[in-house]
Amino acid sequence: MNLSANFSLKELTKSDTATRLGIDNTPDEETIDNLKTLCDKVLQPVREHFGKSVTVNSGYRSPESNAAVGGSKTSDHCKGMAADIEIPGVPNAELAAWIMQNLKYTQLILEFYTPGIPDSGWVHVSYDPNNLKKQELTATKVAGKTTYLNGLVA
């Protein structure tokens, strides 16, 4: 099933963790609708702007698969409203900056990016049409613990 011109349900629900642990990662119809909106409003515009394939590292996560990867219990991934993405050859800081400047979203997180290493980390972006607050954060590790800084720090 295609969610948009360049994104499929299969790639937005793929989970190596769920497969390895035998967890069902099948979304319901409401979640599929949310995934379609995420693709329409964020992922497809990113693909069209950069003209390159967008790698979805993590899209939809069932509550069980989300728990298995240590995700937040309130994660937008569980509602089909978030994806962790990268574009080979495009620095993640540049990808995050473009999204911030050009799209509407709920939350944008530059995760575990190391300045000077363009392909380090990834970009988390969520889209809840009822909460387009455009919050930007940078996730980093401090003493082994994830810490969130306000804004995109690259």
Side-chain angles (χ1 to χ4, degrees):
M1 166 191 253
N2 286 334
L3 299 172
S4 72
N6 296 100
F7 294 92
S8 70
L9 181 61
K10 183 177 180 180
E11 73 184 300
L12 269 291
T13 59
K14 180 182 178 296
S15 169
D16 293 338
T17 300
T19 300
R20 186 176 68 253
L21 298 176
I23 297 169
D24 182 8
N25 202 49
T26 305
D28 61 20
E29 287 301 318
E30 180 180 350
T31 304
I32 291 171
D33 287 342
N34 291 341
L35 287 167
K36 287 179 182 176
T37 300
L38 176 68
C39 289
D40 181 52
K41 300 296 186 182
V42 179
L43 302 182
Q44 194 63 43
V46 165
R47 168 72 171 81
E48 290 169 4
H49 171 75
F50 287 98
K52 296 181 174 190
S53 294
V54 175
T55 302
V56 178
N57 298 329
S58 182
Y60 170 71
R61 296 183 202 145
S62 67
E64 297 82 9
S65 63
N66 188 61
V69 299
S72 164
K73 290 180 183 181
T74 60
S75 174
D76 282 339
H77 285 280
C78 296
K79 297 179 256 180
M81 293 180 172
D84 296 338
I85 62 173
E86 297 180 80
I87 300 176
V90 176
N92 286 317
E94 180 182 329
L95 172 57
W98 186 86
I99 292 170
M100 182 180 76
Q101 294 164 5
N102 294 280
L103 300 177
K104 293 180 181 176
Y105 52 85
T106 300
Q107 193 174 57
L108 179 65
I109 308 173
L110 182 58
E111 300 207 45
F112 309 109
Y113 177 78
T114 302
I117 305 176
D119 63 348
S120 61
W122 61 88
V123 175
H124 166 96
V125 62
S126 64
Y127 189 94
D128 176 347
N130 299 311
N131 185 16
L132 297 174
K133 61 186 177 182
K134 290 193 78 164
Q135 178 186 40
E136 296 92 25
L137 299 169
T138 299
T140 186
K141 289 276 186 193
V142 176
K145 184 176 178 186
T146 301
T147 302
Y148 292 93
L149 307 171
N150 285 321
L152 297 180
V153 181

